[in-house]
Amino acid sequence: MKRKHTPVPFPRTGRGRKAPSDAVRTRQAEEQRRRVRLMIEITARAGAYRKGLLAAVRRLSADEAAVLADLERNGLQVPQLHDVLCGGHVLVDDRRLYEEWRSAKGSRRRVSSHHRDIDKNLYPDIGMRGQVVREKLHGRTAQGTWVQLEKTPAAFGERKLPSLNDLRHLADYVVYRITRSNVGPWGLSRMTERRPMYLSPALAVPTSLTPPVARSLTRALRRIEEDDDVTAVSQDLAARFPPPDREDLVGELGRALSGRAGRGLFGNSEVWITETPSRSAAAILRESPGPPAVDEWQERGAA
């Protein structure tokens, strides 16, 4: 399975940059939505979620996709997406996301108890509902933006009497107090405000290893790869299809390469891809070894 992926660019308008046309924005939004759908479908293969996730993904809105795509641009990997969908509390070292998500369609002010050290009059918490995120809640931190998906939207402060959703939200809070896990749209997450998931663009800065550590790590990786060659498949198949000979195994870890290189988006995720077997490969494997064919001229020479 290929592990290197390049995110679909979704440019932001700014000073000195021409705003894209409506047709371009529509195409970019659809590409972004299709990419996020694929990410969720892949992580659903390896993780356990509440029923209905894949049905909700088919109705994913452009604004919901934009939130998840922004998290990916800040370093979110497919394995971490499981905690996000299950209500994990995420801190992003990017203040601009607060304003960008605040201007999304359907966004509204929300009352929450998260990050009380922030002036809520200046930076109110913002909620947004959707088929996949159910209730996306985000706000400002001292250094960036926080976001969390909730199973049940609450409207405390908007009405005098609590609604049915408010009562359900209180039930989710009871579950949180008992399990010490956030109650998200599609499961429970131990990534709470006290133990959050932290995403930072600065973590993508390339870092070189010292030569002794690099040599030791390279030997370990080669030993693991050699063991995989003889244990993952039959020895006969391993001999027919040898692995590629890579010079820099350490670079594949993504620490010595720039951008989204190395293990990349999928990290160490337990995902797989099923494909129809190749007829040509199947024919080769079915061939039984036998004596080489003898040409007619060789028969005459022997006679």
Side-chain angles (χ1 to χ4, degrees):
M1 182 181 68
K2 296 181 178 179
R3 291 186 178 268
K4 294 183 180 180
H5 296 263
T6 303
V8 177
F10 195 73
R12 310 278 185 182
T13 58
R15 184 179 301 176
R17 179 179 296 176
K18 184 179 179 180
S21 63
D22 292 340
V24 172
R25 282 197 298 267
T26 300
R27 186 179 69 255
Q28 291 172 341
E30 184 56 35
E31 291 177 353
Q32 183 170 253
R33 185 159 44 183
R34 184 166 54 250
R35 176 179 175 81
V36 172
R37 283 197 194 111
L38 179 60
M39 289 171 56
I40 297 175
E41 289 171 357
I42 291 175
T43 189
R45 295 183 180 185
Y49 293 96
R50 291 192 180 99
K51 294 181 179 179
L53 174 59
L54 295 182
V57 168
R58 291 193 288 269
R59 302 189 297 273
L60 180 73
S61 68
D63 292 317
E64 293 176 274
V67 172
L68 297 177
D70 285 338
L71 293 180
E72 186 217 333
R73 272 190 288 271
N74 282 275
L76 181 75
Q77 295 181 339
V78 168
Q80 295 173 307
L81 181 59
H82 180 274
D83 270 298
V84 173
L85 295 174
C86 291
H89 193 86
V90 184
L91 301 180
V92 188
D93 192 12
D94 189 347
R95 299 178 181 179
R96 296 174 300 175
L97 290 181
Y98 174 81
E99 296 297 339
E100 292 173 0
W101 292 347
R102 184 178 183 177
S103 61
K105 181 180 178 181
S107 293
R108 69 195 189 285
R109 287 197 175 199
R110 265 282 310 273
V111 176
S112 80
S113 59
H114 297 293
H115 298 274
R116 298 180 181 178
D117 58 322
I118 299 299
D119 185 352
K120 300 296 184 176
N121 293 320
L122 184 60
Y123 299 111
D125 296 335
I126 306 296
M128 182 189 75
R129 299 181 184 179
Q131 294 292 333
V132 174
V133 302
R134 292 290 181 90
E135 174 76 355
K136 183 273 300 174
L137 182 62
H138 87 274
R140 267 292 304 271
T141 66
Q143 303 297 328
T145 306
W146 67 267
V147 62
Q148 180 177 318
L149 307 186
E150 297 180 336
K151 178 184 177 183
T152 308
F156 298 114
E158 295 183 3
R159 302 180 181 89
K160 293 183 179 179
L161 296 176
S163 66
L164 181 59
N165 276 342
D166 292 332
L167 297 178
R168 290 172 176 168
H169 192 84
L170 285 176
D172 292 342
Y173 177 73
V174 173
V175 174
Y176 161 76
R177 296 291 296 181
I178 295 175
T179 64
R180 293 297 178 182
S181 299
N182 285 345
V183 181
W186 308 107
L188 302 179
S189 173
R190 301 286 291 182
M191 297 288 183
T192 62
E193 184 176 342
R194 293 187 177 184
R195 298 177 58 187
M197 178 189 303
Y198 181 71
L199 302 178
S200 173
L203 297 180
V205 175
T207 303
S208 59
L209 299 175
T210 59
V213 173
R215 287 193 297 269
S216 177
L217 186 56
T218 299
R219 287 195 297 268
L221 291 174
R222 291 198 181 280
R223 185 175 64 255
I224 293 173
E225 194 169 69
E226 290 172 359
D227 292 340
D228 288 342
D229 291 343
V230 296
T231 59
V233 294
S234 65
Q235 293 191 14
D236 179 63
L237 184 60
R240 292 173 183 266
F241 301 96
D245 185 15
R246 294 182 294 274
E247 296 181 359
D248 185 13
L249 291 177
V250 177
E252 286 219 349
L253 293 178
R255 300 297 297 167
L257 300 177
S258 60
R260 298 301 302 276
R263 301 303 182 189
L265 175 62
F266 291 93
N268 60 346
S269 58
E270 297 178 358
V271 298
W272 61 91
I273 295 178
T274 56
E275 298 180 352
T276 304
S278 169
R279 295 183 179 180
S280 301
I284 294 174
L285 295 176
R286 282 197 301 266
E287 291 180 358
S288 57
V294 180
D295 293 337
E296 182 179 355
W297 67 272
Q298 289 178 321
E299 294 179 351
R300 292 179 180 177

